[in-house]
Amino acid sequence: MPVYLLQQAERRTEYQEDVEKKKQELYAEIDSFQIKDKTQVNTLKKFLSDREIWNLQDMDYPLRISYERYLKENRNPNSVLWHLRIYDAIKQQHIYQQMQTLSGKRFYEWKYQQKIFYLKYYPDQQIAESFKYVKKLKVLVWDFSKNCSEILKKQIFNTLGQILNNTAVSDRYRNKRLQALKILYDSCIHQNITDIGILEIEQYENICMDFRKSGNESLDNQLSIIGACRRIAFMQQEHIQWNATVWYLDRFHLGENRIDKSKSLNSISFMEIKEKQNREILQAYMKYELGVTGQAVSTINRRFMCIRNFLKMLEQKRTLAIHATAEDLSDYAKVLLEHHVQAKGFNERIYSIGHFYKFMEVCEYIPRMPFRIEYFQQKVLTVHHDRSVEEIVYMEVLKKLYLFPERLRCMFLHLWCLGLRASEVCTLKGNAYYQQGEDCWIQVYQVKMKNYKKIPIPRALYQLMKIYLKKNEIQPEEFIFQNTKGGACLYDTFRRQMLKACRENGIANGEYIFRSHDYRHTVATMFYDNEVSLQSIRDYLGHTYEEMTRQYIDFMPKKIAQANEEFFSTQENSLASWLRKGEQDAK
């Protein structure tokens, strides 16, 4: 035999021996999982060896698709699903085994790759097995090898990871979120959206249309995935994406003294401004407001809303912000007056626009201010509103308070006893109460004033709250009245729950409309009626000026009535004596 033929025969023999060795190792590894269904296991062994798949790491979703086609061609169609279950079970067991080693953890680490991810092969066993009974397998298949924006794919991938790792929700809810994210992903690809962070309002509306076409129930809950994805994209950027159409305030790490934790404000939207130049200037302005001014976020947001509304009006007139004139501001002022905006609110809106244009002038977007704000401002007349709660009403609330939920009872007592702002009650912490000698005190952070105040409180309230803190295991730095995420109770939630409790318990025959700030007026008025000085009431309420305190004292009707009674109670001032005096003067 020629030498070269002998060499080829030797190579074939070595190759066959090597193949046989790899085959035996593969079969041994599969057998180690002790799968009882031998027929299905043997079919899989043959499939893998025929394709020279010697490592179970190479069993991925594309190979699973190939195996499914193979089964349909060579096996009873009714048995295909069962064979695929065995494929999945062996792959899962391999993953869980490999996750016990350092090299296996590195290989199966959940990280972005341009490939197809199958969630039944998720490295966390508990999460992977939660998809065992999912019927719509499409929701478990995530293709990041598609020909679309890498930025978009990474944003979807990051959102997918957060959904999977949210162990606080049920499997059913997680699957619904996955369905919603799948619709969002497909819609973005269809619209050629490259970045969720710079989503335009027209694109957002088109995505909403795709959600409606999908026929999913609870549309609002499904649509919330857009905000969730956009938030994750904004928060996880290496550098702040200043051109994003929605900013999320958590990214800016603003001081706690600037944020009202009882309010749900967590984002600022620029989507409503369609003109690119207007939006860029407004974004530059908000960057200055948030980063330089140090003002409360609620104040900044009110100003922002005023400016945004003005810019929207300009865009309706097809006018750029840099080309606005005094006539444009005059037109906006007319709109405000037509909507019966009071003088104080009117001036706030006009001042906000002026502040924005002064910024534009300083930053040289415009050569000079196009209008004089003082020409538009209105005179503010002080109007006193009698807002004190009637005694018969709050006494009825107190009598029925035991029927209210425990948390609402405690929150209400802080309003009725102390006249705190609702935001202050919602953000109280476990270290708020203390005792000095025989006196009990509370330390309150005034969100509106950005400072603390300390005021005395009734001993009964102090004792009640100490019991509440111990019972609910509230730590010193934790919020006493928490939301579901452990943060401060939102004011809107508190008010909604109080309205419901008052209605259900028939306060004022079910017609009483709870307004938390009314109790602040009530406390101020009760103090004043009991001869407490205006200065003391001011300090107790936490006001800076007495003029503000006077607005909280509803004393006029009661004081006038008392003065009338005292005046006419004397004999010389009686109504009869005045009538007789009038008759004498007539003579």
Side-chain angles (χ1 to χ4, degrees), residues 359-396:
F359 167 83
M360 291 174 63
E361 180 183 352
V362 171
C363 294
E364 299 183 349
Y365 289 106
I366 54 176
R368 59 183 177 83
M369 284 275 288
F371 32 66
R372 296 183 66 89
I373 294 299
E374 56 269 24
Y375 290 170
F376 294 90
Q377 290 182 320
Q378 294 186 339
K379 183 177 181 180
V380 178
L381 300 176
T382 302
V383 179
H384 186 87
H385 300 285
D386 190 346
R387 293 186 56 176
S388 290
V389 184
E390 295 181 10
E391 182 177 359
I392 190 173
V393 174
Y394 66 67
M395 287 305 297
E396 184 181 1

Side-chain angles (χ1 to χ4, degrees), residues 371-518:
F371 32 66
R372 296 183 66 89
I373 294 299
E374 56 269 24
Y375 290 170
F376 294 90
Q377 290 182 320
Q378 294 186 339
K379 183 177 181 180
V380 178
L381 300 176
T382 302
V383 179
H384 186 87
H385 300 285
D386 190 346
R387 293 186 56 176
S388 290
V389 184
E390 295 181 10
E391 182 177 359
I392 190 173
V393 174
Y394 66 67
M395 287 305 297
E396 184 181 1
V397 175
L398 290 170
K399 288 177 181 178
K400 295 181 178 180
L401 201 58
Y402 72 96
L403 299 171
F404 286 48
E406 182 182 33
R407 186 172 83 160
L408 292 186
R409 296 202 297 267
C410 293
M411 296 180 79
F412 174 80
L413 288 175
H414 284 80
L415 299 176
W416 178 73
C417 292
L418 311 178
L420 298 183
R421 300 178 182 92
S423 61
E424 295 166 357
V425 176
C426 290
T427 54
L428 284 172
K429 291 190 174 181
N431 58 4
Y433 312 91
Y434 63 99
Q435 197 168 357
Q436 285 185 339
E438 297 183 356
D439 298 326
C440 301
W441 295 77
I442 188 172
Q443 177 177 267
V444 180
Y445 181 72
Q446 301 181 105
V447 178
K448 186 175 182 180
M449 313 302 292
K450 293 199 291 187
N451 59 24
Y452 283 92
K453 73 173 181 182
K454 300 177 181 180
I455 57 173
I457 63 174
R459 178 172 293 276
L461 180 61
Y462 174 82
Q463 293 172 340
L464 281 171
M465 290 311 300
K466 281 298 180 181
I467 295 172
Y468 183 87
L469 293 174
K470 184 177 180 180
K471 176 181 176 182
N472 293 280
E473 300 180 348
I474 305 296
Q475 300 303 311
E477 292 300 324
E478 291 181 341
F479 291 109
I480 299 175
F481 309 111
Q482 299 179 5
N483 59 29
T484 54
K485 297 180 180 179
C489 172
L490 297 180
Y491 167 70
D492 288 340
T493 301
F494 169 52
R495 183 173 184 273
R496 187 169 59 253
Q497 291 175 347
M498 279 298 297
L499 285 168
K500 180 182 177 182
C502 290
R503 184 174 62 254
E504 290 178 347
N505 291 287
I507 305 300
N509 295 321
E511 296 181 359
Y512 171 59
I513 299 177
F514 170 79
R515 290 189 290 263
S516 61
H517 219 65
D518 291 357

Side-chain angles (χ1 to χ4, degrees), residues 269-292:
S269 173
F270 300 90
M271 274 205 307
E272 292 76 7
I273 305 301
K274 299 179 181 180
E275 179 56 51
K276 183 179 179 181
Q277 187 186 66
N278 289 350
R279 182 190 293 171
E280 288 177 350
I281 297 174
L282 184 57
Q283 287 172 330
Y285 172 77
M286 289 303 292
K287 185 177 180 181
Y288 155 76
E289 284 275 40
L290 292 169
V292 178

Side-chain angles (χ1 to χ4, degrees), residues 301 312 328 374 417 584:
N301 186 61
K312 286 170 66 178
D328 293 317
E374 56 269 24
C417 292
Q584 293 173 0

Side-chain angles (χ1 to χ4, degrees), residues 195 197-200 234 240-247 270 279-280 283:
D195 187 344
I198 55 176
L199 197 67
E200 297 290 349
F234 188 80
I240 294 176
Q241 189 179 18
W242 294 111
N243 67 332
T245 49
V246 178
W247 292 359
F270 300 90
R279 182 190 293 171
E280 288 177 350
Q283 287 172 330

